[in-house]
Amino acid sequence: MGSAVEFVELGKTYGAHVALSPTSFLIEPGEFFSIIGPSGSGKSTMLGVTAGFISASKGAVVIDGKNIVSVPPYRRNIGMVFQNYALFPFLTVAENIAFPLRMRGIPRADREVRVRKLMDAVRLGALQDRYPAMLSGGQQQRVALARAAVYDPAILLMDEPLGALDKNLREEMQEEIRGFQASIGATVMYVTHDQNEATSMARRIAIMSTGKIEQIGAPEQLYLDPTNAFVASFLGEANLLEIKSTSLSKERTTMVLLEGGFEVATKTPKDGRAPTFLLVRPENIKVSRSGGDENSALKGYVREVIYAAGTVKYKVSVGPLNINARIMGEEMFPLFCVGEEIQVWWAPSASSLVAA
């Protein structure tokens, strides 16, 4: 089982530039934890400071009760899987995996036992004598995983390890990494810019922006209850409709006035947050030529139709509002045409209020 990793007010600055605002959170032992965010959000800085490749300006990284910010990278007992794999081309599969053990002075007999165990775990036993150039991208990725885990590190850091793979192989390797992590009980901190990759693999996700963490939570929590507009728009598709005013109705729902004078109902937030936008996910929007909810249907026209792999997306203009709807399954038919007048609506429980 991997170790718990606690970040205590960890920060990094370059002069006046704040690359990582003081950050505190805990990764549980054996947890698969992902960090996502756009370029420049600070996720790579977070990874680099944890690995020791970047010096911290303040704060602590605590593993097994010890602050390691002053410990050299090679003494941190942290495994690292890079995007380009960083395999030694002149070493075989077995030799690549054994390399960290050789550097630590592990006796040959013990090395062979550990290497065999890890090669079996990543299903590379039959390829032990091949060199990296003789392997596929997926096989090279497995070697990199085995090499990073062979000395039982406290935590495995993965820096966009699937970024160089094509879509089908990337999805296959997501399952491989999940299974590998579960089989060895490793603590994983996984950095990626791919939201779908993070949500399909991690137990919890941290979403970063401009050097700080916006929200941490399980994938479903972040999707269903984002704390602000950035989280809502970064994780999945989102309609964020600017609010002009709100009022509490007799039914204890919140009535929202949108741009253009449209009034719709939504659920009342529990935390009393000051809302700026009404959030509606495209898959929760219903469309029809007529027959929508008389009290909430908004009339508009289709600006664009995008059909892809069993899903049709509509871009709908409703006065000054632009609304995206995504329809799947039997409800896709009949298809609407560009310029056609339609109605859009959604249940109050399918929308929520979010801050800016």
Side-chain angles (χ1 to χ4, degrees):
M1 178 67 73
S3 300
V5 184
E6 184 176 9
F7 302 92
V8 183
E9 291 296 298
L10 187 68
K12 177 62 180 177
T13 58
Y14 296 95
H17 174 67
V18 179
L20 180 65
S21 297
T23 301
S24 299
F25 65 95
L26 174 70
I27 301 178
E28 300 287 350
E31 182 178 14
F32 199 120
F33 188 94
S34 185
I35 299 177
I36 63 176
S39 297
S41 62
K43 58 186 187 294
S44 293
T45 300
M46 188 82 206
L47 195 79
V49 172
T50 305
F53 304 147
I54 300 173
S55 61
S57 299
K58 65 171 297 185
V61 179
V62 180
I63 299 179
D64 294 329
K66 181 181 179 181
N67 181 9
I68 63 168
V69 291
S70 299
V71 177
Y74 62 89
R75 294 182 56 195
R76 292 194 177 196
N77 193 30
I78 290 176
M80 186 81 184
V81 181
F82 300 92
Q83 182 175 351
N84 64 357
Y85 316 140
L87 301 179
F88 297 110
F90 50 86
L91 298 181
T92 65
V93 167
E95 290 168 342
N96 262 285
I97 297 173
F99 184 80
L101 301 178
R102 286 177 52 203
M103 294 299 99
R104 286 165 172 78
I106 303 299
R108 181 172 181 175
D110 290 344
R111 292 203 306 266
E112 291 177 352
V113 171
R114 293 198 200 184
V115 169
R116 173 54 58 184
K117 178 182 176 181
L118 266 295
M119 283 196 299
D120 289 343
V122 295
R123 297 181 289 111
L124 288 174
L127 306 179
Q128 65 175 5
D129 295 324
R130 292 192 183 182
Y131 292 91
M134 303 166 66
L135 304 176
S136 68
Q139 289 168 339
Q140 291 182 38
Q141 179 66 79
R142 292 181 202 165
V143 177
L145 281 172
R147 185 181 62 182
V150 72
Y151 53 93
D152 193 24
I155 179 173
L156 280 175
L157 305 180
M158 300 190 185
D159 186 11
E160 303 201 33
L162 306 183
L165 304 180
D166 62 54
K167 181 180 182 297
N168 290 338
L169 184 53
R170 190 163 63 244
E171 291 176 354
E172 179 183 328
M173 286 305 302
Q174 289 173 16
E175 296 182 11
E176 293 270 0
I177 292 175
R178 279 202 311 269
F180 178 74
Q181 183 264 344
S183 69
I184 65 175
T187 301
V188 170
M189 190 164 87
Y190 190 100
V191 169
T192 180
H193 67 276
D194 189 318
Q195 301 97 316
N196 292 331
E197 191 171 290
T199 55
S200 68
M201 299 176 72
R203 187 174 74 84
R204 286 191 303 152
I205 297 171
I207 298 182
M208 297 193 71
S209 172
T210 61
K212 66 180 183 295
I213 292 179
E214 298 286 349
Q215 187 175 356
I216 295 177
E220 62 273 18
Q221 176 191 356
L222 298 177
Y223 189 77
L224 297 174
D225 189 27
T227 58
N228 58 41
F230 174 81
V231 174
S233 60
F234 190 80
L235 197 67
E237 296 179 82
N239 291 292
L240 291 167
L241 308 176
E242 188 173 356
I243 295 170
K244 296 302 180 182
S245 65
T246 63
S247 61
L248 195 64
S249 74
K250 294 180 180 179
E251 291 76 22
R252 306 299 296 176
T253 57
T254 295
M255 300 305 297
V256 177
L257 182 66
L258 303 174
E259 187 178 3
F262 301 106
E263 189 176 50
V264 295
T266 187
K267 58 188 177 185
T268 301
K270 297 178 181 178
D271 59 4
R273 71 185 69 163
T276 305
F277 298 99
L278 178 71
L279 165 65
V280 192
R281 298 291 183 182
E283 67 270 19
N284 291 329
I285 292 180
K286 309 297 183 183
V287 298
S288 68
R289 289 187 174 86
S290 61
D293 187 324
E294 291 293 332
N295 296 319
S296 62
L298 306 177
K299 294 182 180 180
Y301 69 92
V302 179
R303 290 190 299 111
E304 188 176 353
V305 181
I306 304 171
Y307 183 84
T311 299
V312 62
K313 297 181 182 180
Y314 294 107
K315 295 183 182 293
V316 183
S317 289
V318 179
L321 305 177
N322 294 312
I323 297 175
N324 296 321
R326 184 167 72 246
I327 314 299
M328 296 174 283
E330 295 180 356
E331 295 182 1
M332 289 192 303
F333 304 101
L335 295 174
F336 302 114
C337 303
V338 172
E340 188 170 359
E341 291 187 357
I342 63 170
Q343 294 182 345
V344 299
W345 75 96
W346 56 87
S349 59
S351 61
S352 59
L353 299 171
V354 297

